[in-house]
């Protein structure tokens, strides 16, 4: 399923993000930029140790990556040349700026991609696993944030792919995309 925005493609697919052939994949990271479970663990183990090494260097220079922000490393052994580590919010009931922080994690990732000359980028469903953000709500925020970035100033970014791990998650995102006016 796809939607054209300003000549750029927003696409939805089911699969494993570590296998995507795009310029950059996004990691659902933690503020410490450490390898954890979920998609983060999968990216670190598929990409190899260079990713954790680069993350440690960034953290030494800049400290923790705050929630809603993102940093970029190389892709190690992945097909993708770069990994953008985005820190989504932990769901705390919805009144702790979780919506804004989730939108920010997507926007900051897209801005980094633009600044680094990336034309294709793949996102997982940030915050909807271990961090517990309700997926329907997250899907609307993710897709609207991507659409508004592409409509405004996408630079070289010409494909943004959401990679959903399960058929159920894909369905939620398909419904959210269909509902977007
Ligand atoms: N490809 C695509 N999506 C995946 C993959 C994969 N290989 N593996 C899991 N997912 P989560 P969060 C989906 O928990 O909620 C980590 O420990 C998964 O089904 O990975 O942002 C970090 O280090 C879910 O839909 O990320 C942080 O500490 C989505 O990816 C914390 O978890 C996100 O689930 C971040 O939690």
């Amino acid at each position: 399923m796809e939607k054209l925005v300003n000549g750029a493609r927003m696409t939805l697919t089911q699969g494993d993000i570590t296998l995507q052939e795009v310029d950059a994949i996004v990691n659902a990271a933690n503020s410490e930029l450490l390898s954890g479970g979920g998609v983060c663990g999968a990216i670190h183990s598929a990409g190899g140790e260079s990713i954790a090494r680069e993350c440690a260097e960034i953290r030494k220079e800049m400290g923790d990556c705050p929630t809603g922000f993102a940093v970029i490393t190389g892709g190690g052994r992945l097909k993708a040349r770069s990994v953008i580590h985005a820190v989504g919010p932990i769901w705390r009931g919805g009144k702790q700026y979780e919506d804004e922080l989730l939108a920010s994690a997507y926007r900051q990732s897209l801005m980094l991609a633009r600044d680094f000359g990336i034309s294709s980028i793949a996102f997982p469903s940030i915050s909807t696993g271990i961090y517990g953000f309700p997926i329907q709500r997250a899907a609307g925020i993710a897709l609207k944030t991507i659409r508004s970035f592409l409509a405004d100033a996408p630079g070289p970014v010409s494909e943004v792919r959401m990679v959903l791990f399960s058929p159920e998650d894909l369905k939620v995102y398909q419904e959210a995309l269909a509902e977007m006016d």
Side-chain angles (χ1 to χ4, degrees):
M1 191 167 176
E2 80 173 54
K3 190 180 179 81
L4 271 180
V5 183
N6 200 11
R9 294 163 65 211
M10 274 173 81
T11 58
L12 303 181
T13 187
Q14 191 206 329
D16 180 345
I17 201 160
T18 64
L19 304 176
Q20 302 298 308
E21 298 194 24
V22 284
D23 294 337
I25 64 171
V26 176
N27 179 19
N30 50 67
S31 287
E32 294 80 23
L33 302 174
L34 295 171
S35 170
V39 71
C40 185
I43 290 172
H44 277 272
S45 63
E49 282 170 16
S50 66
I51 298 179
R53 256 199 317 273
E54 283 186 59
C55 282
E57 275 165 30
I58 292 170
R59 193 161 173 240
K60 213 160 99 190
E61 271 175 35
M62 300 174 33
D64 285 358
C65 180
T67 303
F69 286 84
V71 300
I72 187 166
T73 66
R77 291 195 301 262
L78 293 166
K79 287 180 178 145
R81 155 165 67 90
S82 308
V83 177
I84 294 174
H85 304 263
V87 183
I90 298 171
W91 179 256
R92 294 192 164 92
K95 298 206 172 98
Q96 306 283 326
Y97 301 100
E98 292 96 327
D99 291 353
E100 292 80 1
L101 290 166
L102 184 66
S104 172
Y106 280 93
R107 201 176 311 109
Q108 294 288 330
S109 299
L110 290 163
M111 284 162 57
L112 259 184
R114 181 178 64 200
D115 293 349
F116 278 78
I118 282 159
S119 67
S120 55
I121 178 171
F123 281 93
S125 179
I126 298 171
S127 283
T128 66
I130 293 164
Y131 281 0
F133 202 115
I135 188 162
Q136 271 167 336
R137 185 165 172 150
I141 292 167
L143 296 175
K144 280 183 190 140
T145 306
I146 294 166
R147 179 179 64 179
S148 99
F149 172 83
L150 293 175
D152 289 348
V157 180
S158 61
E159 184 192 350
V160 181
R161 189 182 301 173
M162 287 293 317
V163 181
L164 290 319
F165 207 36
S166 69
E168 294 76 25
D169 287 359
L170 176 64
K171 193 153 176 279
V172 172
Y173 273 76
Q174 283 171 334
E175 283 167 6
L177 188 61
E179 274 168 25
M180 257 172 33
D181 37 89

